[in-house]
Amino acid sequence: MLVYEWVDGDLLRRSTARERFRNLSTDEILVCLDQIFELHVELASAGRIAVDSYDGCLIYDFLSRGIHVVDLDGYHEGPFLNKMGRMFGSSRFMAPEELQYGERIDERTTVFTLGRTAAVLASDGSLNPTSFRGPKSLCNVMARACDPVVQNRFQSVRDFHSAWRTDR
């Protein structure tokens, strides 16, 4: 069990908070995404794979303009094999391998989840370039991260974040 310090803010899973967040300036949204991605670079460096990561793990404080990530206790030491079939999590953020028994879960799975995080927070949840609130180059990074074919994704969270930063 992890115990977190109390933070003010709203869970972005709630549709009203998520829509309010999406109405922030593009720059503010991209700064928050970058902070989420930086944290995941650190977690991946420590050998942790995102499991059950979704917008219900994100708290945004609209007064202080700060993003907080919670519920990291579901993250798993990895890589590992999916021994459940459909794993825990929100289907809006889950990679195909999280739905298939025996599939390898690794950093590329986290990359998919991070791409989906960008799709939900900086777009309408789709990979449609016309809905994305940022440069086309970042939309392309997001789309590659969300490729259903594991081998087509960025091979590590660090590679994904590096491309995100380069194209920003």
Side-chain angles (χ1 to χ4, degrees):
M1 178 173 78
L2 298 177
V3 178
Y4 296 90
E5 185 177 318
W6 178 264
V7 295
D8 290 322
D10 295 289
L11 277 176
L12 293 183
R13 180 172 188 250
R14 291 184 33 232
S15 59
T16 54
R18 188 173 51 252
E19 290 311 312
R20 191 171 166 207
F21 180 85
R22 285 181 182 160
N23 286 324
L24 296 173
S25 73
T26 298
D27 284 344
E28 287 178 285
I29 292 169
L30 295 178
V31 164
C32 289
L33 285 170
D34 195 53
Q35 291 171 350
I36 293 165
F37 301 159
E38 281 180 8
L39 170 64
H40 283 83
V41 168
E42 291 179 36
L43 290 166
S45 295
R48 307 303 287 181
I49 306 298
V51 175
D52 195 16
S53 179
Y54 68 115
D55 50 3
C57 300
L58 302 173
I59 297 174
Y60 186 74
D61 186 339
F62 289 93
L63 293 176
S64 71
R65 303 282 202 220
I67 190 89
H68 305 277
V69 181
V70 298
D71 289 344
L72 299 172
D73 44 325
Y75 284 44
H76 197 284
E77 204 167 323
F80 63 96
L81 294 181
N82 177 346
K83 298 203 183 233
M84 295 178 68
R86 189 197 189 286
M87 296 176 66
F88 297 112
S90 168
S91 58
R92 295 176 299 136
F93 292 81
M94 294 175 78
E97 60 270 22
E98 292 178 277
L99 305 172
Q100 292 293 320
Y101 182 86
E103 291 293 316
R104 180 182 166 93
I105 308 296
D106 59 23
E107 275 193 64
R108 295 171 299 182
T109 307
T110 301
V111 165
F112 186 96
T113 300
L114 296 176
R116 292 297 308 148
T117 301
V120 168
L121 297 183
S123 188
D124 61 1
S126 76
L127 301 179
N128 184 341
T130 60
S131 301
F132 186 71
R133 299 234 354 249
K136 183 176 183 194
S137 57
L138 287 186
C139 186
N140 292 338
V141 171
M142 174 187 71
R144 180 175 170 197
C146 295
D147 195 306
V149 178
V150 175
Q151 294 79 5
N152 293 344
R153 294 181 208 147
F154 296 95
Q155 296 304 295
S156 70
V157 174
R158 185 172 303 283
D159 290 348
F160 164 75
H161 189 240
S162 177
W164 184 268
R165 279 203 160 160
T166 299
D167 289 333
R168 186 162 173 219

